[in-house]
Amino acid sequence: MDLAYTEEEEAFRARLREWLGSVLPGLPGKPDPGDWPGRRAYDSGWQKLLYDAGYAGLHWPADAGGRGATPTQHLIFLEETERAGAPYVGANFVGLLHAGPTVAAEGTAEQRARWLPPVLRGEEMWCQGFSEPDAGSDLASLRTRAVRDGDDYVVSGQKIWTSHAEVADWCELLVRTDAEAPKHRGISWLAMRMDSPGVTVRPLRTLAGSTEFAEMFLDEVRVPVSNRVGAENDGWRVTMVTLSFERGTAFVGEVVACRRTLDALAADARRSGRWDDAVLRRRLGRLNAEFRALWRLTQWNVSEAQAGGGVPGIGGSVFKLRYSHARQELYEAAAEVLGAGDDLDLDREWVLDRLSSLSYTIAAGTSQIQRNIVAERILGLPKGR
Amino acid sequence: MDFQLSEDQRALRAGIRDLLAGRFDRDRMRAAHEGGGGVDRALWRELGAAGFFALRLPEAEGGVGLGLPESVLLFEEIGRALLPGPLAATQLAAGAVKGAAEGEAVVALAEAGRPVGHLEGADALLVLDGDRARVVTGAALRQVVDGARPVRSLDPGTPLWRVPDLSAYEGEALPDGARLRREGALLTAAEQLGSSSRSLEAAVQHAGEREQFGAPIGAFQAVKHLCAGMLVRAEPARSAVYAAAVTGDPVEAAGAKLLADEAAVGNARDCLQVHGGMGFTWEADVHLRLKRAWLRAGQWVTTTDAEEALAADLG
Ligand SMILES: Cc1cc2nc3c(=O)[nH]c(=O)nc-3n(C[C@H](O)[C@H](O)[C@H](O)COP(=O)(O)OP(=O)(O)OC[C@H]3O[C@@H](n4cnc5c(N)ncnc54)[C@H](O)[C@@H]3O)c2cc1C
């Protein structure tokens, strides 16, 4: 066990810090959450900066346009960018954090060459079309169907909760290609262009008042067969790869951000006198232990992945479960620190964060589903009934 | 950064696991607890001979020359096996108390305001008072023992005594009491960690075997989720304990103790629940783990102290 970073890793960190120090002051201000074109431009601009400086797709393999950096370097990258308060991946979330890695792991050479560089340069955004109105937790029961017609699939059905659908160029789409097969066996993983004829996106308003996600209606949309990743009807296996990235690594940087928030809250409480409330003070102390431990758990998982190579293990479910609850607890504590009246002011950034934290125990697999996974796949308990 | 166990560390852990399996299996563990607890001197010496207490003494002083991370791995195994005795205090006193390093002496821990475990028959007392530490031996120790009265101990493995005001007894001051407290907390957290993993294993095993409604109870989601929750308590605690052992950071050690206490107590409770009526019997081991976990949670660094230390670090 050695938590010290190597000289090479520290040199990497120093260069990154210096670079962040040089570019962050010149960034434009954050766009309004409701301004989708503005958000797209902002997120894409940041990604382009990263790309030009050689920090895009750090941990992706070189033949996928990445830098072949070690998982540890990637961890340092997430730590430093969050610490510096750099922009978050935003609308690049799906492309960079799970569709991209899935294509890198499972796609053909042509697919990697076509899809990955534009993701890294921030030119093309992806969204995730997995969930359907009747297939959320029970994802494999999805019904959107794709019928082969020459070199195309003709896709019809409905997707829901599609984050960033309004700005995405591509969608990682799950479709049923064999209606007769058992439900896990008849699914395929496709990349669909969002501007294809027959795609209709209807924004849904979230409880935070924003339109983070949308419904998506697919009416005889033609998707080239060559856009399928993995074999026909082997999409469930590919999906498991996607989900392991989504749950395994996608939230890592946020732990650092939570610790920054916690520090800011403590400073606030000290200024306002709320710090004298021992119950509240100790609650914040406990959260300090929580986020420190989550960071160490991340290092543990990354070291394990580094030793094992490649795709993160299902240990990500343990992280995701603990983290999603800790994040909610953090914003509950924030409401208390900042006092009863203040949490009604929607213009305060943390108030929106408090609202959005409610989604953490639902999105990317609910806590109940994660517990099933942990119990059955890690602990080996019998299959559910 | 490489946050995985080295080959040597794995071997060390396997070594003590084997030693404990051979010398302190379940029957002996039960017998020790039925017999009123206390220290098994023969086993204590064997641990001494294996280098357990001298682990962190420099080689020049006849020690093994290993560090806190290795100690933590060993204490985790002690916690799994539910071996009673003031092991952390004795390891910390190795070098300062004659015979402690060799496993010839038992050094009990005394903290102001708490009953003292294993007092009778202890060769020395490590007295912790805030950040000051001292060792009480000889005539002063006999006076403490004479003035003590036994407590009906909640933990059948740890005989307890109420002692008179300790400040009245002379002892030899030890340097860096804050470090002793922190390291004692961490070793104890490691025991808690071992205990929490053992509770999880026992729960998973039982859930896979016991049938109700025509199926193993582990197939029912309510039971499954209890077990998953246990893993989600134990794993972050493990990362915290190991990391604190590597960095030696005081705030991190406080966090590690906090989460490990919670994991040991919470996992024992849930393990008891998974065992149903059987879990409420003296026969089942889980109550022994729960009682020990409660005891350890009150030692070295309590929940309140840990939370305050962690809060002070913020802002
Ligand atoms: C902010 C946000 C963004 C999202 N973004 C996307 C996206 O970009 N793309 C996409 O495809 N999806 C997205 N989702 C969808 C998300 O993956 C689903 O909401 C989630 O998987 C749950 O499915 P559901 O909403 O249908 O709930 P349901 O499956 O109907 O579940 C409802 C409740 O029942 C419980 N439940 C269901 N089945 C079980 C079971 N077997 N055992 C125990 N409890 C059970 C659940 O835990 C939950 O509490 C997003 C969701 C949110 C909130």
Side-chain angles (χ1 to χ4, degrees):
Chain A
M1 287 187 286
D2 182 6
L3 286 168
Y5 292 89
T6 63
E7 229 169 79
E8 202 185 328
E9 287 161 351
E10 286 299 355
F12 171 80
R13 184 194 298 278
R15 279 197 308 279
L16 175 58
R17 245 185 218 182
E18 194 185 332
W19 179 76
L20 286 167
S22 71
V23 296
L24 290 182
L27 279 191
K30 280 212 177 93
D32 187 81
D35 170 14
W36 274 105
R39 281 174 65 175
R40 181 181 162 121
Y42 184 84
D43 294 342
S44 139
W46 169 242
Q47 185 59 31
K48 178 81 169 62
L49 278 177
L50 288 174
Y51 181 84
D52 289 342
Y55 291 116
L58 263 186
H59 64 308
W60 290 17
D63 72 350
R67 311 274 154 178
T70 62
T72 303
Q73 282 174 323
H74 184 224
L75 192 71
I76 293 173
F77 172 80
L78 293 171
E79 188 181 9
E80 290 299 323
T81 45
E82 282 288 355
R83 182 171 288 160
Y88 188 55
V89 284
N92 289 306
F93 188 87
V94 172
L96 280 171
L97 299 181
H98 48 92
T102 304
V103 170
E106 298 289 331
T108 62
E110 294 81 58
Q111 289 173 334
R112 290 206 292 266
R114 167 62 189 90
W115 290 322
L116 299 178
V119 166
L120 294 180
R121 291 193 297 262
E123 289 163 7
E124 290 184 347
M125 313 249 165
W126 286 63
C127 62
Q128 181 188 46
F130 282 13
S131 307
E132 297 185 4
D134 292 323
S137 299
D138 186 11
L139 180 56
S141 68
L142 62 91
R143 288 205 292 255
T144 293
R145 65 183 188 283
V147 180
R148 190 90 176 239
D149 179 27
D151 290 337
D152 290 339
Y153 287 111
V154 178
V155 180
S156 294
Q158 187 191 343
K159 294 289 172 178
I160 197 165
W161 322 127
T162 318
S163 302
H164 304 137
E166 286 174 87
V167 289
D169 305 285
W170 291 91
C171 178
E172 49 171 5
L173 187 73
L174 291 188
V175 295
R176 185 157 301 286
T177 33
D178 182 351
E180 307 303 317
K183 66 180 187 181
H184 292 91
R185 304 263 172 73
I187 295 172
S188 299
W189 197 108
L190 305 180
M192 176 186 80
R193 278 207 67 98
M194 290 296 283
D195 61 3
S196 313
V199 178
T200 308
V201 171
R202 188 191 295 162
L204 292 166
R205 203 166 137 94
T206 72
L207 53 72
S210 56
T211 55
E212 291 299 312
F213 51 33
E215 285 180 297
M216 195 161 65
F217 299 89
L218 306 171
D219 181 18
E220 304 206 335
V221 181
R222 299 193 82 87
V223 178
V225 171
S226 57
N227 283 12
R228 191 189 62 227
V229 173
E232 187 168 278
N233 299 327
D234 192 29
W236 188 250
R237 193 187 56 77
V238 182
T239 303
M240 289 301 111
V241 174
T242 310
L243 295 185
S244 73
F245 283 112
E246 184 173 5
R247 291 163 187 170
T249 46
F251 300 104
V252 164
E254 295 182 20
V255 172
V256 182
C258 285
R259 280 199 50 196
R260 283 200 309 149
T261 304
L262 188 57
D263 271 323
L265 279 178
D268 209 304
R270 286 198 158 103
R271 270 193 304 275
S272 69
R274 297 285 283 138
W275 195 250
D276 296 338
D277 177 345
V279 174
L280 179 62
R281 187 173 67 234
R282 285 169 47 189
R283 186 170 170 189
L284 296 180
R286 172 170 286 272
L287 281 165
N288 188 8
E290 192 68 31
F291 287 109
R292 279 169 171 268
L294 281 164
W295 179 251
R296 294 311 192 187
L297 179 62
T298 297
Q299 288 182 314
W300 180 269
N301 287 342
V302 163
S303 284
E304 205 163 51
Q306 188 147 319
V311 179
I314 45 179
S317 286
V318 173
F319 175 86
K320 202 241 170 198
L321 260 172
R322 183 94 177 202
Y323 172 64
S324 54
H325 290 271
R327 186 177 173 104
Q328 290 175 355
E329 176 55 32
L330 171 66
Y331 285 105
E332 288 317 305
E336 206 180 313
V337 169
L338 298 166
D342 290 1
D343 55 334
L344 301 178
D345 179 355
L346 264 178
D347 284 331
R348 295 182 66 152
E349 192 182 343
W350 73 271
V351 177
L352 281 178
D353 287 339
R354 181 189 187 194
L355 291 176
S356 89
S357 78
L358 298 173
S359 74
Y360 277 69
T361 47
I362 299 171
T366 68
S367 288
Q368 286 68 36
I369 294 301
Q370 302 294 347
R371 288 192 190 99
N372 288 348
I373 292 173
V374 166
E376 288 171 13
R377 310 236 308 266
I378 303 182
L379 298 177
L381 285 170
K383 200 80 187 114
R385 29 184 280 141
Chain B
M1 184 209 55
D2 175 18
F3 197 11
Q4 299 286 293
L5 269 54
S6 69
E7 281 305 312
D8 287 350
Q9 287 168 335
R10 278 177 217 279
L12 189 73
R13 184 173 65 178
I16 183 112
R17 195 175 276 197
D18 289 348
L19 188 153
L20 290 170
R23 277 295 276 110
F24 198 70
D25 60 8
R26 177 170 188 269
D27 287 348
R28 289 208 174 87
M29 185 277 284
R30 288 299 306 205
H33 286 79
E34 300 303 339
V39 169
D40 174 346
R41 287 278 184 166
L43 177 51
W44 205 264
R45 277 190 204 99
E46 277 178 58
L47 284 171
F52 181 87
F53 296 110
L55 194 77
R56 292 170 56 218
L57 280 185
E59 288 178 62
E61 292 169 36
V64 185
L66 289 173
L68 205 47
E70 285 76 20
S71 260
V72 154
L73 293 174
L74 296 189
F75 274 83
E76 190 180 343
E77 294 303 319
I78 295 289
R80 287 179 66 90
L82 207 59
L83 182 66
L87 291 131
T90 304
Q91 197 190 67
L92 286 169
V97 169
K98 194 163 158 293
E102 295 77 23
E104 297 296 335
V106 172
V107 183
L109 169 70
E111 293 186 87
R114 304 253 328 153
V116 175
H118 305 283
L119 176 65
E120 203 176 51
D123 303 286
L125 208 51
L126 173 62
V127 180
L128 270 187
D129 185 4
D131 279 349
R132 279 174 308 148
R134 64 187 202 285
V135 172
V136 174
T137 50
L141 175 59
R142 274 193 299 282
Q143 278 183 331
V144 175
V145 175
D146 288 346
R149 92 187 142 73
V151 172
R152 244 161 48 84
S153 176
L154 168 88
D155 171 10
T158 310
L160 292 172
W161 282 265
R162 291 235 177 255
V163 293
D165 181 10
L166 282 167
S167 59
Y169 301 93
E170 297 279 307
E172 183 199 338
L174 293 182
D176 211 350
R179 181 183 59 83
L180 287 178
R181 185 178 285 285
R182 180 168 84 231
E183 293 183 356
L186 201 54
L187 298 180
T188 307
E191 284 186 73
Q192 298 283 54
L193 187 61
S195 169
S196 73
S197 311
R198 188 71 197 88
S199 288
L200 170 59
E201 283 164 22
V204 167
Q205 187 181 352
H206 185 73
E209 286 166 359
R210 168 75 172 168
E211 292 196 2
Q212 290 290 291
F213 300 98
I217 56 170
F220 298 106
Q221 202 171 49
V223 174
K224 227 173 241 188
H225 286 194
L226 275 179
C227 294
M230 291 164 80
L231 187 73
V232 172
R233 269 193 215 110
E235 288 310 303
R238 175 185 315 286
S239 302
V241 170
Y242 289 2
V246 173
T247 64
D249 177 78
V251 179
E252 201 152 13
K257 178 71 166 37
L258 180 73
L259 298 189
D261 285 344
E262 205 170 80
V265 171
N267 283 9
R269 278 177 181 280
D270 286 351
C271 179
L272 196 153
Q273 181 67 19
V274 168
H275 279 77
M278 192 189 287
F280 195 66
T281 65
W282 190 268
E283 204 67 7
D285 295 341
V286 58
H287 72 104
L288 301 175
R289 280 195 299 275
L290 179 57
K291 291 164 179 172
R292 186 73 48 79
W294 277 332
L295 181 92
R296 292 188 199 111
Q299 291 173 333
W300 305 98
V301 171
T302 63
T303 301
T304 309
D305 293 344
E307 285 172 347
E308 288 289 1
L310 285 150
D313 167 64
L314 289 172

